[in-house]
Amino acid sequence: MILERAEEAVETGEVSEILSRPSDEYVVYTHGLRVLYGSRPAISDITLGFRRNTITAVIGPSGCGKSTLLRCINRMNDLIPGARVEGKVFFNNEDIYSPHVDPVYVRFRIGMVFQRPNPFPMSIFDNVAFGLRVNGIKLTRDGLRQRVKEALVKAALWDEVKDRLDAHAGTLSGGQQQRLCIARSLAVEPEVLLLDEPTVSLDPISTYKIEQLLRGIVEDYTIIIVTHNMQQAARVSDYTAVLMPDQSGVGRLIEQGPTGEIFTNPRDKRTEDYIRGKIG
Amino acid sequence: MGHQILKTSRLKKLLDRAMPIILSLGVFLAVATVAGLIIDVVSSGWHRLSPGLLTNYASANPAEAGLRSAFLGTIYTVGLSAIICIPLSIATALYLTEFSGTGRLSSILRYNIANLAGVPSIIFGVVGLGFLVYGLGMGRSIIAGAFTLAILTLPLVTVTCIEAINTVPDDLRLGAYALGATKLQVAAHVLLPRALPMMLTGGILGISRAIGEAAPILVISGLLFIREDPVSLFDIFTVMPLQLFNWISRPQMAFRELASAGIIVLLLLLLGLNAAAIVLRHRLTRRLT
């Protein structure tokens, strides 16, 4: 009787429906995610959860679709011509690809920092205030100043720029610019922060500062960082997901788990090879 | 074997030296032609340059003839056409680059705007005559001329505006979107400020083209001889190229000289506009970066 009921549930898709439901421990949860550029799939069958107030590193060789995965989470793929997203992405148990969800709101709640620092050609202050202004957050002059300051403090940039908030963002060094971009994202107080190889263009000291600040803010945010740098993933993250292209070049999730386990005791041979520098 | 290599390398060297000379022939030809024309025009027209040239109306007596109505007509029609054309072009370019998506329709539109830029101007004149002058009942008026010139320059300026928007780094666009900006906000706060200097340069180039157009205005206005100032947008008008055409086609030497003087005025106007474009772009770019 029970067996029959179970078989029925499998046949009607009820089971996969239940399995695809995210649990509450995940802020972001992807289920059977597949992205196509034109007719060519870039990633396929990615089912992955990201836990609240942790840092998850997504690692893998070039072209395995790490950035593609990241762009699904705040619907930035919508802006890429020819990109099509299949499967589900849940944010606080809500499917962000369901028709009634506004991608603008998704991006307001899920911030993103890019590979190369991309401050706007305006003052340091206006850069940080930009997100607050475009999202129509009404603040008094002092309130706005306070929010900008808080964001800059969190991004470990306040001490360096507090006397020149009106200076053009272009006068900052590369590392400072990247921290400004982090501050800019934090100012709108998102729940999730996505970072797409945020330190590739930076020197080791700037990289260290950014890693430090990420560890400092993880109590308030859920952070997902794509990185090429194995040491960085090991240093900064709590959890690690490994993506690897299959024979036809489609990125697939091959392993996920606590960072310590992935690095010391990988279950998949490919992960081990990749971590030891044999692939990629 | 070594000898062979030496030989070819000598030939290559020779070609390398000769190439700049061959390639610069084209430049030389163009510059020489323009210089020759300018020298010819200035030498025959400079002594006819006087305030009267701009303040006198057209006349059968060359000593009293001037460009006044044509000059005013040019300023009014071209000025109005710029006011119509530049905002429309910017809006069209923003629509095609940021709002219309990447569908088939949008690419067809984009392709055809580039094509329109190559349509002979007389066609626009005929369209203006049929649609604006008769169809909408604007008559042979300044406003009909201005709209015709606006439609004529629209594709050219739009193409420049699209290029201007495409020069804005994608990083900035995506950065703004990632902060929760809407398309309109990205257009207004990120794309427009960065692209505006180049857009305005494109607008001024469009104006320069409109100033020199005789054919479409000939169809619209049909008038070559006017002795009054235009006071309303629905008044008849003529423009400088038409006045010059009128003078050149007369047999008397004095009118030919007047035409040369008129060409000098037209050239100065164009040079002035181009200089303004450069200054404007320079100032705006400095302020923004």
Side-chain angles (χ1 to χ4, degrees), chain A residues 136-152:
Chain A
I137 296 169
K138 295 273 173 275
L139 291 167
T140 59
R141 261 179 83 90
D142 289 340
L144 182 64
R145 290 206 153 268
Q146 190 55 34
R147 281 286 276 273
V148 169
K149 181 184 171 179
E150 282 168 14
L152 285 167

Side-chain angles (χ1 to χ4, degrees), chain A residues 145-207:
Chain A
R145 290 206 153 268
Q146 190 55 34
R147 281 286 276 273
V148 169
K149 181 184 171 179
E150 282 168 14
L152 285 167
V153 169
K154 279 183 190 164
L157 190 59
W158 174 249
D159 288 333
E160 291 159 61
V161 300
K162 63 183 174 197
D163 301 321
R164 49 175 179 139
L165 291 174
D166 291 328
H168 196 276
T171 61
L172 298 174
S173 73
Q176 288 173 326
Q177 286 186 11
Q178 193 62 306
R179 277 179 282 148
L180 179 65
C181 292
I182 293 174
R184 187 172 74 181
S185 295
L186 296 181
V188 294
E189 294 178 357
E191 272 189 70
V192 180
L193 187 62
L194 310 174
L195 301 113
D196 189 359
E197 300 186 43
T199 61
V200 265
S201 63
L202 305 180
D203 63 73
I205 293 170
S206 301
T207 300

Side-chain angles (χ1 to χ4, degrees), chain A residues 25-28 49-56 222-223 239:
Chain A
E25 63 184 310
Y26 298 124
V27 179
V28 173
F50 300 92
R51 286 184 171 80
R52 197 176 294 280
N53 300 341
T54 64
I55 299 181
T56 304
T222 302
I223 297 172
Y239 294 91

Side-chain angles (χ1 to χ4, degrees), chain B residues 35-47:
Chain B
L37 279 171
I38 289 176
I39 290 167
D40 182 46
V41 163
V42 170
S43 65
S44 74
W46 73 272
H47 66 277

Side-chain angles (χ1 to χ4, degrees), chain A residues 76 79 81 104 107-108 110 112 114 116 118-121 130-131 134-135 168 184-185, chain B residues 98 102 171-183 185 189-190 194 288-289:
Chain A
M76 287 297 276
L79 301 169
V104 170
R107 294 180 204 129
F108 168 56
I110 302 179
M112 188 174 210
F114 297 80
R116 273 184 306 164
N118 56 349
F120 301 123
F130 187 92
V134 297
N135 286 294
H168 196 276
R184 187 172 74 181
S185 295
Chain B
E98 209 56 33
T102 48
D171 283 1
L172 294 181
R173 268 183 71 231
L174 296 179
Y177 277 121
L179 285 170
T182 60
K183 284 184 175 182
Q185 286 169 331
H189 299 300
V190 178
R194 290 278 293 208
L288 288 166
T289 50

